[in-house]
Each structure stands twice: as C-alpha cells, then as structure tokens.
C-alpha cells in the first residue's frame, strides 16, 4: 500500500489551546471559538452575539459577506475564519492519503531529471532513457505523501495513449507541472499545442488543478544570455494566451536547472504553496510578525529546502534572504554531517550595510523530524525574541497541515 500517512486529525489538536480537551473529533465543531489559539475570551463572547457560537459556525462565516463584528478588525476575523475552515476541512475530509502530482511536457524536456534531482539521485541522470508511458512513483516529498505521475512525452504516447483514455491519467490531480525546455526554441509551438491539448482534456473532465509552467534547462550561463530572455518572453506570451482560452485555469512560471538544486527546490516550494490549504494563513502570520518586530523580510524554511512562506518589503530583500538562508542551511547540513551539533540559532552580520540575517530553529516537522527555521532580515534582530514563542505556537499546526 502506498498509504502510510500519519493521522492528520491528530494534528488538528495543535490548533487548540493546550488546556482544551478533545475526545471526539466531531466535538470540535461545537467548541467555543476561544478554544482556538489566538482567539481571546472577550472576542469569542462578542462573536456569540453574532450567532458565531462555535468553531463550526466560525468556519461557515462568508468571507465575501463578512459581518461587522464590534472590536474585531476584519483582517483578524478573516484569519480566524480561515483557520476554522482548515480545521473543519481536515475533519470532514477524513483525509485523502496522498496528493497527485502530474508532470507533463514534450519528450526530452527534463521531467524525469527534475524528479531525480528532487530526490538527490543525481547519478542516474546521465543514463536516463525517455520515459515509456507513465511512471508512477511515491515521493518522499519534504516528508509529505505525494505520488508523481511522470507522463513520458514521446509522440506515440501523446497521440495514442493519454488522450484516448484521459480519465485514466488526468483525473484527481492536485498539481500540474508542465515542463518546457527553454533551450529548444524550434519546439515551442509544438509544446504550446500539447499544453493546449492537456488543458482541454482537463476541462472536459471538469478538473482544474493549479498549474505551474516549469522553464527547464535554464542553466546558469544560458540564463544570463539575451537569447534566454527572449525565449522566456516568447514562451510566456504563448502560454498565457493558451491559458486564457480556458476559464478556471491560471498559470505561473518558475525556471529551473538540474545543475542548481536550489532552483528546483524553489520551484517545488512555489508549486506546493498553490496546493496548500494553509500557505496563505502562514504568509499572513509572517506578515503580521514582520511588522511587529520591524523586520524587512521573513521566511519560513525547512532544512531540506522547502520554503513554506515568506514576507518581504521588496523582491530584492526576498531574494537576498532566501538565497542566504538556503546557503546557510546547506552549510549547517555539512556541519551536521561531520558530527557537529546543529545550532538552533544562526547569524550573519552585515555591519557595513547595517543589517543582520538571522535564523532561529522553530521545531521539527513530519515523521522525518526535519528542522524548520524562521529567517529574518532586520536592523534589530533581537526584537524577535519576545514574540518568538507565540509565533511558534501559531505556526506549528499550520505547518503540520501544510499539505
Ligand atoms: N542542460 C540541461 N540539460 C538538462 C536539464 N534537465 C534535463 N536535461 C537533459 O535533458 C535530457 C532529457 O531529460 P529527461 O529528464 O529524460 O526528459 P523527459 O522530459 O523526462 O523526457 P521523456 O521521458 O521522453 O518525456 C537529458 O539528457 C538530461 O540530461 C537541465 O536543467 N539543463
Ligand atoms: Mg522522462
């Protein structure tokens, strides 16, 4: 069996204050709102006056038609409602055991190679053969259960297999990664056509998975060429146009090269955020936290390179913080591999630039016990310490429910 997921419903309990006793999951819907972490008793009683008497009621509040609750700012109410919705969804869903990831694109595009890099199987890349038909694989995906469906892109499969029985391949996908080789200019039109066929098949099945176009083979030297920049423009034009032909789809892009694993980790982080129920709440909390502690930028990153979320004043700050953090973590992994104890706090000072980049370990997540660090870019990093415990308490359940 592929299913060995731990019971997500147990993790639901982390959303509640420690003194709250939960016996039956169904009871959760009837608990008062202030049993949830972050909701105080006074606000909870006020919500009661608006007929929001328990967690179930809170989850049903319409975000489009938000009631004007006295003394509770709407931005905060929205956050509470979203958390209640996540809790309720997790209970009701009784859990699909895994997420389905579709990897689609022309032959030779780099799909199988990307999956190999993700799993640190670098040495198999040079001997990869074209994928014959579909290769299904359970991935150890940052500790989350995911099954990849790698659809070999050779023309015989595209023409004779997938579109004859689309329901066998395209249904119930949680995420579509469409891979295009940015170096293979001659085949851009063919690739855009295939992309169109895939969207059409999905639409006919009434399936609309979040979609990310992966701009593969964006190797470091090639990326800095004018040719690459032109190619990207051409690709985005074409693919945006195809996407608008199909309602309910939206598309974003991420470039990767197998020669820099971090590009692949960042691409998957972007993709997973689209699938996650909690990523938006995580980013809201990061934003609040950054304002409170006057940080310019903050990111939440696992030791294996998954970026759960970030908040930043500018794109430059984001790139500076994320790239620095990923490299510091690589360094920490190296130190750990030679037997040093992993430090819970890492600091890089930039005295001439007047700021500090600092990482603090928050907790371990998943059965693999992977450390998660909060990284901030700040002029006054010490401001974070007073608020860190509260932040940790709010974030932990959301990370556990990320996928
Ligand atoms: N330069 C460069 N080459 C790459 C990159 N990724 C993959 N390749 C090469 O591209 C070729 C095809 O890679 P695959 O991963 O087998 O492509 P695929 O999309 O799985 O192809 P099919 O299985 O036929 O659909 C291999 O020779 C890889 O070494 C990359 O980022 N940069
Ligand atoms: Mg392949």
């Amino acid at each position: 069996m592929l299913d060995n997921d731990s019971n997500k419903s147990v993790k639901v309990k982390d959303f509640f204050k420690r003194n709250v006793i939960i016996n039956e999951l169904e009871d959760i819907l009837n608990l008062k709102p202030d049993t949830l972490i972050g909701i105080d008793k006074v606000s909870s009683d006020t919500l009661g006056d608006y007929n929001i008497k328990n967690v179930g009621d809170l989850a049903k509040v319409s975000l489009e038609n938000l009631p004007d609750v006295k003394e509770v700012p709407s931005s905060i109410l929205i956050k509470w409602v979203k958390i209640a919705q996540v809790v309720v969804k997790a209970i009701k869903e009784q859990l699909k055991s895994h997420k389905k990831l579709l990897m689609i694109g022309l032959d030779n595009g780099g799909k199988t190679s990307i999956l190999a890099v993700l799993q640190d199987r670098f040495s198999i890349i040079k001997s990869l053969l074209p994928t014959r038909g579909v290769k299904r694989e359970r991935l150890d995906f940052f500790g989350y259960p995911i099954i990849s469906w790698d659809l070999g892109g050779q023309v015989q499969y595209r023409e004779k297999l997938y579109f004859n029985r689309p329901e066998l391949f395209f249904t119930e996908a949680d995420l579509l990664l469409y891979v295009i080789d940015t170096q293979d200019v001659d085949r851009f039109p063919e690739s855009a056509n295939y992309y169109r066929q895939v969207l059409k098949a999905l639409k006919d099945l009434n399936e609309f998975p979040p979609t990310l176009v992966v701009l593969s083979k964006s190797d470091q030297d090639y990326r800095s060429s004018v040719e690459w920049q032109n190619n990207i423009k051409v690709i985005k034009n074409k693919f945006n146009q195809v996407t608008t032909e199909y309602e309910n789809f939206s598309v974003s892009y991420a470039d990767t090269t197998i020669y820099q694993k971090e590009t692949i980790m960042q691409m998957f982080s972007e993709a997973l955020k689209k699938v996650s129920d909690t990523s938006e709440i995580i980013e809201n909390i990061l934003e609040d936290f950054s304002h409170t502690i006057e940080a310019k930028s903050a990111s939440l990153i696992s030791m294996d390179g998954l970026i759960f979320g970030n908040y930043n004043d500018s794109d430059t700050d984001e790139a500076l913080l994320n790239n620095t953090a990923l490299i510091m973590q690589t360094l920490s992994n190296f130190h750990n591999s030679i037997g040093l104890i992993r430090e819970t706090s890492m600091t890089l000072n930039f005295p001439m630039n007047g700021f500090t980049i600092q990482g603090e370990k928050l907790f371990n997540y998943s059965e693999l016990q992977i450390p998660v660090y909060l990284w901030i870019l700040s002029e006054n990093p010490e401001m974070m310490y007073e608020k860190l415990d509260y932040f940790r308490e709010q974030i932990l359940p959301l990370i556990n429910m990320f996928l």
Side-chain angles (χ1 to χ4, degrees):
M1 279 293 285
L2 290 157
D3 178 12
N4 70 350
D5 190 27
S6 68
N7 191 349
K8 215 185 226 182
S9 42
V10 174
K11 297 171 185 165
V12 168
K13 296 183 179 171
D14 291 337
F15 283 97
F16 293 87
K17 290 177 184 158
R18 266 191 217 113
N19 57 0
V20 176
I21 298 164
I22 296 171
N23 297 316
E24 294 292 329
L25 277 177
E26 297 74 54
D27 296 348
I28 289 180
L29 301 181
N30 297 321
L31 292 173
K32 288 184 68 188
D34 61 317
T35 52
L36 285 166
I37 288 171
I39 305 187
D40 58 288
K41 174 139 190 349
V42 175
S43 302
S44 182
D45 291 345
T46 314
L47 287 173
D49 300 339
Y50 294 77
N51 258 331
I52 306 169
K53 299 199 188 301
N54 56 42
V55 174
D57 294 340
L58 187 59
K60 281 189 213 129
V61 170
S62 153
L63 291 174
E64 288 77 45
N65 212 343
L66 209 65
D68 191 9
V69 177
K70 201 170 53 180
E71 316 264 301
V72 180
S74 60
S75 63
I76 294 195
L77 184 56
I78 288 173
K79 198 158 76 190
W80 292 349
V81 171
K82 286 184 178 170
I83 288 178
Q85 286 174 348
V86 169
V87 169
V88 169
K89 188 171 168 204
I91 295 169
K92 292 211 168 139
E93 217 179 30
Q94 270 312 334
L95 262 187
K96 229 172 94 189
S97 55
H98 60 262
K99 305 264 178 191
K100 172 174 171 182
L101 161 69
L102 271 178
M103 301 282 291
I104 302 185
L106 296 183
D107 52 294
N108 199 48
K111 299 177 291 298
T112 310
S113 307
I114 288 171
L115 289 173
V117 171
L118 179 73
Q119 301 168 85
D120 283 337
R121 286 152 64 186
F122 303 101
S123 58
I124 67 167
I125 290 175
K126 69 172 186 336
S127 47
L128 278 180
L129 296 172
T131 306
R132 305 206 323 254
V134 181
K135 189 161 161 245
R136 288 181 6 146
E137 200 173 17
R138 193 195 158 97
L139 293 182
D140 171 23
F141 208 79
F142 306 103
Y144 294 107
I146 291 220
I147 303 211
S148 61
W149 290 50
D150 179 3
L151 270 59
Q154 289 193 319
V155 66
Q156 65 264 35
Y157 308 121
R158 281 185 273 140
E159 286 184 353
K160 304 230 166 68
L161 187 58
Y162 308 138
F163 299 116
N164 284 344
R165 299 288 305 278
E167 71 282 2
L168 292 185
F169 305 97
F170 299 117
T171 47
E172 297 196 335
D174 295 287
L175 177 64
L176 164 61
L177 295 183
Y178 187 90
V179 179
I180 176 167
D181 176 349
T182 58
Q183 301 195 13
D184 198 358
V185 187
D186 294 344
R187 297 186 76 190
F188 289 171
E190 187 186 356
S191 187
N193 269 337
Y194 185 31
Y195 177 66
R196 178 184 283 113
Q197 283 181 293
V198 172
L199 291 197
K200 177 166 187 320
L202 285 165
K203 181 178 168 245
D204 291 345
L205 292 164
N206 209 17
E207 301 263 349
F208 304 98
T211 303
L212 187 76
V213 171
V214 179
L215 306 163
S216 74
K217 308 196 188 177
S218 298
D219 303 340
Q220 209 163 17
D221 55 333
Y222 190 58
R223 260 186 72 106
S224 49
S225 68
V226 177
E227 187 183 323
W228 182 83
Q229 285 169 12
N230 283 336
N231 291 354
I232 298 302
K233 264 190 222 137
V234 174
I235 292 171
K236 287 189 176 171
N237 260 330
K238 268 237 155 319
F239 279 69
N240 283 342
Q241 189 197 327
V242 172
T243 311
T244 52
E245 291 169 22
Y246 294 91
E247 271 170 59
N248 293 336
F249 279 105
S250 66
V251 66
S252 45
Y253 302 86
D255 46 73
T256 62
T257 166
I258 55 169
Y259 300 110
Q260 287 173 284
K261 187 181 178 194
E262 66 274 17
T263 63
I264 288 178
M265 300 309 261
Q266 292 188 22
M267 179 275 285
F268 273 109
S269 298
E270 278 312 309
L272 291 190
K273 274 195 231 166
K274 287 168 166 276
V275 184
S276 166
D277 292 327
T278 59
S279 88
E280 196 188 339
I281 312 177
I282 292 174
E283 297 206 327
N284 285 342
I285 292 176
L286 265 178
E287 179 174 354
D288 283 353
F289 180 71
S290 302
H291 287 150
T292 317
I293 66 161
E294 295 173 20
K296 287 182 192 304
S297 179
S299 291
L300 208 58
I301 309 180
S302 73
M303 256 306 153
D304 55 354
L306 175 60
I307 303 169
F308 290 104
N310 41 253
Y311 167 76
N312 55 281
D313 280 348
S314 74
D315 288 351
T316 325
D317 285 345
E318 179 180 337
L320 173 60
L321 182 63
N322 284 347
N323 286 311
T324 307
L326 287 170
I327 291 170
M328 299 267 281
Q329 292 194 170
T330 304
L331 193 59
S332 166
N333 284 332
F334 162 68
H335 291 156
N336 195 234
S337 75
I338 59 168
L340 300 184
I341 298 168
R342 205 186 276 288
E343 299 291 340
T344 55
S345 182
M346 290 180 259
T347 310
L348 200 60
N349 282 318
F350 297 77
M352 305 188 67
N353 292 282
F355 65 83
T356 295
I357 287 181
Q358 183 147 345
E360 287 293 327
K361 182 176 159 185
L362 294 180
F363 38 70
N364 296 321
Y365 88 105
S366 91
E367 285 152 42
L368 304 173
Q369 293 293 301
I370 300 160
V372 175
Y373 280 71
L374 167 68
W375 287 91
I376 61 162
L377 191 168
S378 174
E379 289 166 11
N380 301 301
E382 64 284 350
M383 282 182 74
M384 92 165 119
Y385 286 110
E386 200 188 317
K387 307 278 175 199
L388 200 59
D389 284 336
Y390 178 64
F391 177 75
R392 186 193 328 261
E393 197 178 50
Q394 277 190 304
I395 285 288
L396 176 67
L398 296 165
I399 295 294
N400 284 335
M401 300 282 293
F402 189 72
L403 279 187

